[in-house]
Amino acid sequence: MTENPFFRPSTLVYELPPFAEIREEHYLPAFERGMAEQLAEIAEIAANPEPPTFDNTLIALERSGALLKRVGAVFDNQVSSDTTPGVDGVDAEVSPRLAAHRDAIHLDAALFARIEELYGRRAGLGLDEESLRLLERRHTAFVRAGARLGAADQRRLRELNAELAAGASAFRRNVSADSKARALVLDSAAELAGLSPDAIAGAAENARALGHDGKYVLSLKNFSNQTELAFLTDRSVRERLLAASLGRAARTNGPLAIRMSALRAERARLLGYDTHAAYVVADETAGTVEAVDALLARLVPPAVANARREAVELAGAAAADGIEEIAAHDWAYYAELVRQSSYRVDAAALRPWFELERVLRDGVFFAATLAYGVTFTERPDLTAYHPDVRVFEVFEEDGGSLGLFLGDFHARASKRGGAWMDELVTQSRLLGRRPVVMNNLNVARPAPGEPVLLSWDEVRTLFHEFGHALHGLFSDVRYPYFAGTDVPRDFVEFPSQVNEMWMVRPEVLANYAKHHVTGEPLPAELVGRMAAAEGFGQGQRTVEYLAATLLDLAWHTVPQGQEIADAEEFEARALAKAGLAVAAIPPRYRTAYFSHVFAGGYSAGYYAYIWSEVLDAETVDWFRDNGRGVRESGEVFRRELLSRGDSRDALDSFRAVVGRDPRTGPLLARRGLA
């Protein structure tokens, strides 16, 4: 299949994948050849008759698998961003084979022997800091992948990894299919009363795109509390929408979650850990499950107390409508009413000030220029994987080229819910590659000819995901193993959370928050009320997040051999034990659609968001109070942290910026928990 575009490096700028040439039928042959090529490269490294050196072992390993990495990056993106039944079929077939391929490398005894020998005499190799870290981190990865296990245990490990990979693929497909099937189809605009006119028009356009002409469709976001719940005045519609969200994939993914939890527990014991959570956290910045538990235990009681105080306020507003008890589908609606009454901030009425194009160019890009000096030029001549996707070239302050940024902002039936960042080309000085990164959001498409207006939460999401993009764009490491966002899971959210601060910086907000028709800036007194209103609802937001976090840990602290009969019963018991069984506040994710932990890389790691927020809150204070200007501060943050990837210890990078170890005080104050 010589015409397969994956079989040769891309000749486009920055090695942007040649999307115009790529077809579904190219994936499987490219995966098969890519795996075969890398295994041949590994065999050559392992069989090298020369004594192991850093160059003939570690550098050779870094250079291996070029074809597999090319096809994997493009395919992983398509599975998430623009899937088809054919792509899903390839995913189901390839996922367990890729797991077996990774095992074939990590469990290659001759290869590990070379790495082990180098590791044993690492102090005398004369390696620079990044090279020494590569040797140490690669050695750790092989040990954690089972390289020291006996033959029988390695055989069982391969079986576990293959079944878990297949399970993750199935979990992802089940969530996607049931989320589409449960989209709420409504017959009339009257049922959408309370939504803004542009949101109602978007629901009509969504219905048309999904084959429901003349109706209105609310597609489900990946989290529990759908954003429309804050505005829909029809209580029965709110109830139906939340029920559709909470019930997703329960029949298929409940049993699958039980099975995956058991498999992960068995694998952890095989590798010498009491639980899967202990295995995961041992290689993160937290270090131990006990450290995570200590932070969460400090947060749960005040968060629940805050939420209960909020509930009293909501009950007063609900009583005016004759509602005696706030249900889960009521919470967001009455919270919004209280917010409007107490702070005179109407979230729906703010949307005209947040037009996507202006937020992107005059907000997100403007803040990046302000802090880091980079600029962005759209490249319509470059083809992406879908017509929705826009390509921007990124330049340094001196005009030098940096990389490419792709923005895929709109929801569609072929895209999974949520928002995320990914890398299509990973930066590496060793390989002479510069970064190609992308952001995905799920903003509803408006009616033809209408502007794309964002909610305040969507503005936050855009800034957040662009923080991940900057982490990838600013990567400046030698070895691809360390590049960009390949940092500990409980550190990776830190730079993206820091980037959220720019959305409310006065000089940035004033630059982008302008009415899309009149150009009128967001009134200054409204900005003040918005800032005051930010604190309201922290109880509910913290409780729903902590509930998901502790649910994740509950699933992954189950020891090997403990049987679970029913996923929903297990979930209920776990939340009750954690003190988070608040009926009116469901977890941000329930088990059956918790793709972060059962189909993504966050198993036993969803705590990462709050752990990273400790660092984020400290860094926001540092940007404000360090006595430097914004541009100088941005340069320090870029040089000492964003550019480093995992080429040095993550907390050492934090210390190089802030000057000390992190403290929890700023986080507690921000969340109203101090």
Side-chain angles (χ1 to χ4, degrees), residues 133-174:
R133 183 165 174 82
L134 179 67
L135 173 55
E136 292 173 342
R137 292 302 296 156
R138 280 287 196 180
H139 181 266
T140 296
F142 272 73
V143 172
R144 285 173 56 81
R148 286 179 172 164
L149 296 178
D153 285 343
Q154 285 191 356
R155 282 195 297 273
R156 180 55 183 155
L157 182 63
R158 292 173 192 264
E159 294 170 354
L160 292 169
N161 287 338
E163 187 175 349
L164 281 165
S169 176
F171 193 99
R172 179 170 53 246
R173 294 193 306 275
N174 292 341

Side-chain angles (χ1 to χ4, degrees), residues 28-53:
L28 190 56
F31 272 120
E32 290 174 337
R33 182 183 288 193
M35 287 186 279
E37 284 186 4
Q38 187 171 30
L39 289 180
E41 292 163 342
I42 295 299
E44 185 176 351
I45 298 169
N48 190 334
E50 298 294 324
T53 66

